[in-house]
Amino acid sequence: MDDVTTAFRSAFGYGPEGVWAAPGRINLIGEHTDYNDGFVLPFALPHALTASAARRTDAAVRFRSRQSEDGFEARLPDLFPGAVEGWAAYPAGALWALRDEGYTVDGLDLLVDSTIPTGAGLSSSAALTCATVMATASLHGVDLGPAEVARLAQRVENDFVGMPCGILDQSASMLSTEGHALFMDTRTMGTEQVPFDPSAAGLTVLVVDTRAPHRLVEGHYADRRRACEEAARHLGVAALRDVADLPEALAALPDDVARRRVRHVVTENARVLETVGLLRSGDLRAVGPLLTGSHTSLRDDYEVSVPEVDTAVDALLAAGALGARITGGGFGGCVVALADADRVEACEKAVREAYRERGFAEPAVFGALPSAGARRLYP
């Protein structure tokens, strides 16, 4: 806390009015289902972004980040889709979205600091956007609930940044609670806090940051979403979540690519529901094979994996992990695995050795505990 307030004072010459925090997230299972009206099961990480901020009354905005040498300064009328690039597009979009929806907000001085690895698929951008929406709304007297902050933050990515994501990341950051996974129906927006305490079961959730480049705005993500929407129209359903008879649906589709995309979404929804049932019953070990099944589907049917990710998954499983899969949108990013606590060291060693053999960059490996969602830290 003292670090970010001191850094704010150093950057702007006076103290902040408040400090907010928004965590990154791991999606335990349920990938590429959120924009298909499906089910997801993320949880918040202890890694978080903090935003210290203060109001301005002159329509000026000034952004600084302790992770970037590039600051940003502009005026509110200059914030519109396509006008801002880089990390500053997310807080700029937060101000734009609030104003575009009719909320009265003025300028803002903002300094952010983050322990969320960037480019790793752990939703650092969603955390930045959520924290800025919270800070701006609170400082300007706009009363927003957590779900509304998540919706606005999703709109920033969709309409300002140009990333057609669903609402998983923003909801995980805003709605998660410590010791739980967030089961969410993205059609109804209904949520359930499902108890998830791996350590009590003698297990560890391992996260491998593969350090593979993770870029979703380049079109791959949009291509997958477009394919799902076209398949839903062809099948006469509102969304792929509504496919009831998978073999019948696959037979009705015009090409193999469409069949593979649909098969992933439908089977992934089923895996989420099965995982939730296992967590409710306390059978955490049985979740492992579902994670591996999810990875196989994402690799083969959805085609969003990369060699660094597959190498990590294979090494983890060979070292005794109960299950492992790519997490996040894909095309790089992180792997999440479930392992017995006494196998963690062996799993980490296996991944590092496999990366050295393949000539990949050194990965980062850490354990993840379900943590608290976004909140105001000060005052």
Side-chain angles (χ1 to χ4, degrees), residues 296-322:
T296 301
S297 182
L298 286 159
R299 182 193 65 203
D300 299 341
D301 281 344
Y302 225 66
E303 297 180 286
V304 295
S305 194
V306 295
E308 292 93 333
V309 167
D310 293 335
T311 297
V313 168
D314 291 344
L316 288 162
L317 295 175
L322 301 174

Side-chain angles (χ1 to χ4, degrees), residues 186-241:
T186 64
R187 169 170 286 172
T188 67
M189 303 305 289
T191 60
E192 176 189 346
Q193 302 290 343
V194 183
F196 182 43
D197 187 357
S199 58
L203 303 175
T204 297
V205 175
L206 273 180
V207 179
V208 178
D209 180 355
T210 68
R211 303 289 172 85
H214 181 260
R215 301 181 184 92
L216 294 182
V217 186
E218 293 180 349
H220 299 301
Y221 189 103
D223 288 344
R224 298 303 187 278
R225 180 165 186 164
R226 190 179 308 112
C228 290
E229 291 168 349
E230 290 174 356
R233 283 194 294 270
H234 187 89
L235 295 171
V237 293
L240 294 184
R241 178 245 184 82

Side-chain angles (χ1 to χ4, degrees), residues 74-85:
R75 296 186 62 77
L76 286 174
D78 299 325
L79 305 182
F80 52 86
V84 185
E85 297 182 348

Side-chain angles (χ1 to χ4, degrees), residues 196-206 282-285 320-322 337-345 347 368-369:
F196 182 43
D197 187 357
S199 58
L203 303 175
T204 297
V205 175
L206 273 180
D283 190 3
L284 274 62
R285 296 182 64 85
L322 301 174
L338 190 65
D340 286 300
D342 61 6
R343 297 300 302 168
V344 167
E345 186 175 345
C347 285
L369 288 173

Side-chain angles (χ1 to χ4, degrees), residues 36 42 224 274 335 347 365:
N36 287 292
R224 298 303 187 278
E274 188 173 352
V335 167
C347 285
V365 185

